[in-house]
Amino acid sequence: MQRWSKLNELGTSAANKLVNLQLQKEYHAVEGTSTLALANDQDSAFKLQEEITKASQELSTIYGSLANLHTKMDALVQSFHAIRNLKALQRYNEDSSDNQIFSTWTIEHFCDVSQRLFDSFTKELSLKERLVMEFTRCRNRDELMVYLSLWLHEPLLDDDNDVLLESMLIEAELR
């Protein structure tokens, strides 16, 4: 979660830079230029486009890091499900009723919570993928501001994710 939050902050900074560059480009395109300043403006437009490309690549790299982190989350969720299946197999073979590997939660509850967290991050990652594309395509200031706000506030992550994660750490006796 901390790595995700840090990457989100970096992504917000990169997206903000990209939005500002896009707005600057749009402002220059709308503002008519005289023939004397045309050569100067073409040079600055080329530099501006280079900066936009660089900022877009930076945002794409950050998105890639978020996707890698998501892949690691998926592996953890799959491990929890494998533990649950192994525990169920042990109960079946040994006729044991001990299903408590955590302090108070059952393995099923732990798997359900981890799956819920993973699903929430999957939705948010999908939104961020779309936003990365929209930041480079969009020219409308209001839409760009909405996209920037969506990146920053992560609306598809549940408010109780931090509490659930902290509960999982306590249950696993890692806190």
Side-chain angles (χ1 to χ4, degrees):
M1 277 290 239
Q2 290 173 349
R3 282 189 272 175
W4 182 279
S5 295
K6 182 66 176 169
L7 287 169
N8 187 57
E9 286 177 27
L10 292 172
T12 300
S13 176
N16 188 36
K17 181 179 178 181
L18 183 58
V19 165
N20 287 333
L21 290 169
Q22 290 283 42
L23 293 175
Q24 186 178 356
K25 179 182 175 183
E26 198 59 28
Y27 174 75
H28 287 305
V30 169
E31 177 189 273
T33 60
S34 67
T35 55
L36 289 175
L38 192 58
N40 228 3
D41 285 341
Q42 286 177 345
D43 188 43
S44 65
F46 180 73
K47 288 180 183 177
L48 186 60
Q49 187 58 45
E50 282 182 344
E51 288 182 49
I52 289 172
T53 302
K54 184 179 173 184
S56 180
Q57 289 171 344
E58 180 183 357
L59 188 61
S60 293
T61 300
I62 292 169
Y63 169 78
S65 297
L66 286 168
N68 288 341
L69 190 56
H70 181 263
T71 302
K72 291 176 184 177
M73 287 181 202
D74 186 30
L76 280 172
V77 169
Q78 296 307 317
S79 295
F80 294 144
H81 287 294
I83 292 169
R84 179 187 63 199
N85 293 340
L86 181 61
K87 196 69 172 162
L89 186 62
Q90 284 177 338
R91 270 197 324 264
Y92 178 75
N93 288 339
E94 298 174 7
D95 195 28
S96 171
S97 62
D98 180 27
N99 195 19
Q100 300 283 117
I101 17 183
F102 302 108
S103 297
T104 59
W105 288 7
T106 62
I107 184 66
E108 285 80 12
H109 184 64
F110 201 86
C111 285
D112 291 343
V113 170
S114 66
Q115 187 65 51
R116 180 176 167 195
L117 287 170
F118 178 72
D119 291 344
S120 181
F121 281 96
T122 300
K123 291 175 188 172
E124 187 63 33
L125 185 66
S126 177
L127 173 64
K128 287 190 185 311
E129 178 181 27
R130 180 108 189 255
L131 290 174
V132 167
M133 292 184 293
E134 292 299 327
F135 280 127
T136 56
R137 291 183 193 158
C138 185
R139 303 290 180 251
N140 182 302
R141 181 190 186 284
D142 293 335
E143 288 179 23
L144 284 169
M145 292 297 122
V146 169
Y147 297 151
L148 189 58
S149 178
L150 286 171
W151 185 287
L152 173 65
H153 295 291
E154 300 183 316
L156 299 177
L157 292 183
D158 297 330
D159 292 336
D160 62 343
N161 281 357
D162 290 333
V163 173
L164 288 174
L165 184 62
E166 189 65 30
S167 298
M168 289 175 74
L169 291 172
I170 290 170
E171 283 298 320
E173 297 179 358
L174 296 172
R175 296 247 181 187

